[in-house]
Amino acid sequence: MISSDSSSTSIHLTASTSTSASTASSNPTTITQSKATHVIDVGTGRGFAYNPSWVNASIGDTVRFNFLGRNHSVTQSDLTSPCTSNGGFDTGLNQFNPLNISGKFVVDFQVNVSTPLWFYCKQPGPPSHCGEGMIFAINPGDRFNQFLKNAAAQGQALTILISILGAIGNASSFSISAIDNALFNSTIRRRYSR
C-alpha cells in the first residue's frame, strides 16, 4: 500500500520535433501518473480515531480505509451536522475486528470532487464515537477544527438521547436519528448562525 499526499496528478511535457533545420513544431503531450492511495486506519488502539484524521487528495485518488479495533463505520456527513449521515458513502457497521488484524477489512473510496468531504463513525455508543472525535475529512482546508467542534456538540446531544431512550426502552435507530437531527440542527442554527 502506498500512502501519499501528492497534489500533482499529471505531468505536462512539451515535445519539440525538428522537421528541418529551419522548421520546428511544438507538440504538447500529457502523461498521466498513477493516482495516489491514502491509507487511513479506522479505530486504532488509540481510542475512537481515524489515523490520520484528514488528508488532502486529488480527483482520482483512492482513500483506503483499513478497519481495526472492534466495530466502526465510515459514514459521509456534512460540516454542520458531522454525526448525521447525509445519505452518501457509508460502509455500515460490518467490519468487526477485535484482534486489530491489519488488512482484514479494507474499503476503498474513490475521490471524485476537489471540495471538502466529511465523514464520521456512526457507532452510537454511548458514548457516541463521533462525539468523541471519531471524524475524518478529505480536503478540509482550514475547517477541520470547526468540524471537530460541531461533532463534539452533536455527539453530546446524541449520547444524552441514547441514554434517555434506552432508559425508557425505546432506543430504535429511527427515533434516535430523528430526534438527534431535529435537536442538533436547531442547536447549530442558534450557536453558529452568526
Side-chain angles (χ1 to χ4, degrees):
M1 291 186 232
I2 300 170
S3 181
S4 171
D5 278 322
S6 173
S7 61
S8 174
T9 58
S10 61
I11 300 173
H12 299 284
L13 299 175
T14 303
S16 294
T17 52
S18 179
T19 55
S20 70
S22 62
T23 330
S25 66
S26 183
N27 179 20
T29 306
T30 300
I31 300 172
T32 303
Q33 291 182 332
S34 315
K35 301 298 180 178
T37 298
H38 310 272
V39 179
I40 311 303
D41 287 334
V42 180
T44 65
R46 300 180 204 155
F48 305 129
Y50 296 95
N51 187 25
S53 57
W54 63 271
V55 296
N56 287 320
S58 299
I59 293 174
D61 284 3
T62 298
V63 177
R64 178 164 294 148
F65 295 103
N66 179 36
F67 286 85
L68 301 167
R70 302 283 174 192
N71 195 5
H72 301 287
S73 77
V74 178
T75 305
Q76 195 168 359
S77 65
D78 299 306
L79 175 66
T80 57
S81 297
C83 304
T84 302
S85 174
N86 70 1
F89 182 80
D90 186 8
T91 62
L93 294 167
N94 303 313
Q95 298 75 229
F96 187 68
N97 189 2
L99 300 177
N100 286 328
I101 299 169
S102 186
K104 182 175 181 180
F105 296 105
V106 174
V107 177
D108 285 347
F109 175 82
Q110 185 81 32
V111 178
N112 57 16
V113 295
S114 60
T115 55
L117 297 169
W118 312 100
F119 303 87
Y120 72 106
C121 176
K122 69 178 182 179
Q123 189 65 266
S128 157
H129 290 197
C130 179
E132 292 293 310
M134 193 164 183
I135 58 171
F136 174 74
I138 299 172
N139 302 326
D142 62 356
R143 296 185 284 177
F144 188 80
N145 286 336
Q146 185 61 54
F147 186 53
L148 186 59
K149 288 177 187 175
N150 293 351
Q154 187 177 12
Q156 183 179 19
L158 182 58
T159 298
I160 292 167
L161 287 170
I162 289 171
S163 298
I164 292 169
L165 292 173
I168 60 174
N170 188 19
S172 74
S173 61
F174 174 75
S175 61
I176 291 169
S177 178
I179 294 170
D180 174 55
N181 203 6
L183 253 178
F184 181 71
N185 285 331
S186 65
T187 302
I188 282 293
R189 278 190 215 102
R190 279 187 306 228
R191 222 179 252 174
Y192 300 107
S193 62
R194 298 176 191 153

